Amino acid sequence: MHDIVRDTSLVSLKEPDMPVDLSADDGGQAMHRFISEMYPICRSITGDGVRKTIDLIRKYIPLTTCEVPSGLQVFDWTIPLEWNIRDAFIKNGAGERVVDFRKSNLHVVGYSGPVKARMSLAELKPHLFSDPDRPDWIPYRTSYYKAAWGFCISHDQLLALPEDNYEVCIEALLEPGHLTYGDLRLLGRSTDEILVSCHVCHPSLCNDNLSGIAVATALAQHLRNRDHRYTYRFVFIPGTIGSITWLALNQSHVGRIKHGFVLTCAGDAGSVTYKKSRRGNAEIDRAWSYVLDQSGHPFAIQDFSPFGYDERQYCSPGFNLPVGVVMRTPHGKFAEYHSSADNLDFVRPDALRDTLEKAIATIEVIESNGYHLNQKPFCEPKLGDYGLYSAMGGLSPPDYQLALLWVLNMSDGHNSLLDIGEKSKLSWAMLKQAAAALTEAGLLRPVEPKLASEGHDPRLAGLA
Ligand code: ZN
């Protein structure tokens, strides 16, 4: 029998211990500093690198650390052995480290087994990986599910390696242990959940994946300080095997997840890309599209594809959760992807801040979206009598007056505020203000969304 260890010792941070607020309006500087704290750590899908990273996140938010033992079956997969590495190098005949793990953890193929041997250049070469297209960068390679060992070096260095008697050493352990992940639940007024997921398994790579960790942590800090309708679930997991494990262990209440997104590649200079959930028209898909459209900034929307990050598991057909992906330049579309050039200079504080602000705006839409019923649906009510209309003359009405008309006209129980936002292209703040004022004046009544799907005319029900 396997025991899953949950560390519940840290229930909440005491206020005097509260660290820097990563969500503070500082142009993203604190998030960038947090990335530089995590940057040196050698992470993989299991091992102390993930533990150290979870511990760093716990300085900001009260994550629970979960340890799942090697060998546990999770759907079609098995929790792998735990990998830990202390040192690795290639020394030339003169005893000099020509490749040194201490200088960059990208030098070792992730999950390499231990090795200690002397060999010629010809024997070494099948274990060396480089990228001829980017000859001065170190590529990032892993071999999680096939026993192997190897080193990654720049192509320039590979070409310059002379014939020699090399000493090769990888001081790594692959043994039964645990897969580690972090989990945080922020209770809201409803038990319905919003899932925010990011992967924590890449070593010294900033955009993929430290930017996602930083923005998710900042978002959790932002939400912790506020009242919210939904319960939020933040998971910090190793890619693929982590989400499979999390879904296997949480299968019984996955149904509570009503919205969600994976956060990754959140800090490069490119504009935001949102990849839709498998459902394609989930409220989260529409909310992100609306917020990006409203932002006035360039953006891209992608349809779902079963290739990418952990959305592949959340959106597998058995779960089909409404979970999309938020990124800036998509993985594989920036040259620095999975290389030593995805470094602290490649992620920009202002881009991290922009991703965070858009995530907060989208959550605001989801939090305050709802259905209303016009209480005076036969012709327009005389708004001036309710103090809601200013003299317009011949000019087109200003946005707020337009928002009042849109909300009144569309609030038949079938259109949510988000539907009205999509149709009117008016800002969320304006629509919310209009709905609140109309409700205050007795012209609008909030109704449950189920009225819209029950098939009867809710307008008539409201008049009865
Ligand atoms: Zn990656």
Side-chain angles (χ1 to χ4, degrees):
M1 184 61 198
H2 296 284
D3 289 324
I4 290 146
V5 183
R6 277 180 174 269
D7 173 3
T8 52
S9 61
L10 193 70
V11 175
S12 65
L13 292 167
K14 293 193 292 288
E15 288 310 313
D17 300 334
M18 279 301 286
V20 171
D21 180 6
L22 299 177
S23 68
D25 190 4
D26 65 350
Q29 296 293 340
M31 281 188 279
H32 196 273
R33 277 195 298 276
F34 180 36
I35 289 174
S36 59
E37 278 186 89
M38 297 184 283
Y39 183 61
I41 298 172
C42 181
R43 279 161 291 266
S44 186
I45 51 172
T46 59
D48 286 336
V50 176
R51 269 183 211 106
K52 283 182 197 157
T53 305
I54 302 288
D55 282 347
L56 284 181
I57 301 168
R58 279 164 58 139
K59 283 167 59 183
Y60 299 92
I61 50 173
L63 269 191
T64 299
T65 304
C66 303
E67 299 275 6
V68 187
S70 303
L72 184 76
Q73 188 79 22
V74 283
F75 298 115
D76 209 30
W77 299 59
T78 305
I79 303 295
L81 296 175
E82 183 175 325
W83 186 71
N84 284 296
I85 181 162
R86 281 187 45 193
D87 194 10
F89 57 80
I90 300 172
K91 283 184 181 171
N92 62 17
E96 298 157 337
R97 288 187 180 225
V98 292
V99 179
D100 189 353
F101 171 76
R102 293 176 195 161
K103 288 192 177 152
S104 170
N105 56 39
L106 296 180
H107 276 313
V108 174
V109 171
Y111 244 61
S112 281
V115 60
K116 194 160 179 55
R118 286 198 164 270
M119 60 188 71
S120 66
L121 182 61
E123 289 169 309
L124 179 58
K125 268 194 170 167
H127 297 280
L128 298 180
F129 302 90
S130 69
D131 181 357
D133 293 334
R134 312 279 170 191
D136 53 347
W137 297 350
I138 307 165
Y140 165 55
R141 297 275 186 281
T142 62
S143 185
Y144 293 140
Y145 302 105
K146 181 168 170 272
W149 65 267
F151 286 87
C152 299
I153 59 175
S154 73
H155 197 65
D156 287 344
Q157 186 181 14
L158 179 70
L159 295 178
L161 277 181
E163 195 55 63
D164 206 338
N165 179 23
Y166 289 101
E167 182 189 347
V168 176
C169 172
I170 297 178
E171 215 179 307
L173 285 173
L174 263 174
E175 54 188 11
H178 292 83
L179 174 147
T180 310
Y181 68 83
D183 187 318
L184 171 69
R185 204 151 65 110
L186 298 175
L187 291 178
R189 299 192 297 279
S190 162
T191 54
D192 287 348
E193 289 187 4
I194 297 183
L195 174 73
V196 179
S197 172
C198 58
H199 58 285
V200 294
C201 52
H202 290 26
S204 294
L205 294 167
C206 286
N207 203 33
D208 176 22
N209 55 188
L210 298 178
S211 65
I213 300 173
V215 174
T217 306
L219 185 59
Q221 271 191 312
H222 169 85
L223 288 163
R224 266 195 97 203
N225 296 328
R226 279 161 183 80
D227 174 58
H228 40 86
R229 164 181 162 193
Y230 285 99
T231 290
Y232 287 82
R233 178 82 78 151
F234 285 82
V235 293
F236 296 84
I237 47 174
T240 306
I241 187 67
S243 49
I244 291 169
T245 301
W246 189 84
L247 284 163
L249 299 180
N250 291 276
Q251 200 172 356
S252 60
H253 54 264
V254 158
R256 290 183 196 154
I257 297 170
K258 304 301 179 198
H259 320 279
F261 51 88
V262 169
L263 259 173
T264 182
C265 301
D268 64 271
S271 51
V272 172
T273 299
Y274 177 78
K275 175 178 161 182
K276 290 179 185 177
S277 73
R278 183 176 179 271
R279 298 186 189 185
N281 64 346
E283 195 175 332
I284 189 73
D285 300 327
R286 295 174 47 210
W288 267 103
S289 301
Y290 170 77
V291 164
L292 293 177
D293 189 45
Q294 282 287 313
S295 73
H297 303 153
F299 66 95
I301 303 287
Q302 289 183 348
D303 285 329
F304 177 77
S305 60
F307 177 72
Y309 293 98
D310 289 305
E311 73 279 13
R312 290 150 57 187
Q313 316 311 328
Y314 300 126
C315 298
S316 56
F319 289 109
N320 198 23
L321 295 174
V323 174
V325 185
V326 177
M327 49 203 162
R328 299 187 75 87
T329 307
H331 59 95
K333 301 288 185 200
F334 52 95
E336 295 81 356
Y337 174 71
H338 280 191
S339 84
S340 54
D342 182 0
N343 58 23
L344 289 167
D345 295 329
F346 184 63
V347 288
R348 296 170 32 159
D350 60 330
L352 294 163
R353 178 71 202 169
D354 182 62
T355 309
L356 175 66
E357 281 178 2
K358 286 172 172 143
I360 290 171
T362 302
I363 278 173
E364 160 67 6
V365 169
I366 296 277
E367 281 274 331
S368 52
N369 191 25
Y371 291 81
H372 298 86
L373 204 55
N374 182 340
Q375 301 298 293
K376 296 223 168 179
F378 299 104
C379 301
E380 288 179 354
K382 199 172 170 215
L383 289 175
D385 288 358
Y386 302 86
L388 291 171
Y389 219 55
S390 58
M392 291 190 300
L395 302 169
S396 53
D399 279 356
Y400 181 56
Q401 304 294 338
L402 266 181
L404 291 169
L405 296 175
W406 271 104
V407 172
L408 267 179
N409 185 281
M410 303 304 292
S411 290
D412 56 1
H414 293 283
N415 292 295
S416 68
L417 213 52
L418 179 55
D419 287 302
I420 301 169
E422 288 170 336
K423 290 184 169 98
S424 68
K425 305 269 183 199
L426 291 168
S427 77
W428 194 252
M430 197 74 80
L431 291 168
K432 250 183 81 176
Q433 193 189 339
L438 290 164
T439 304
E440 176 76 28
L443 292 172
L444 213 61
R445 182 167 65 86
V447 289
E448 289 298 312
K450 64 177 192 241
L451 267 177
S453 58
E454 277 176 356
H456 63 264
D457 185 342
R459 184 189 59 177
L460 296 179
L463 290 171

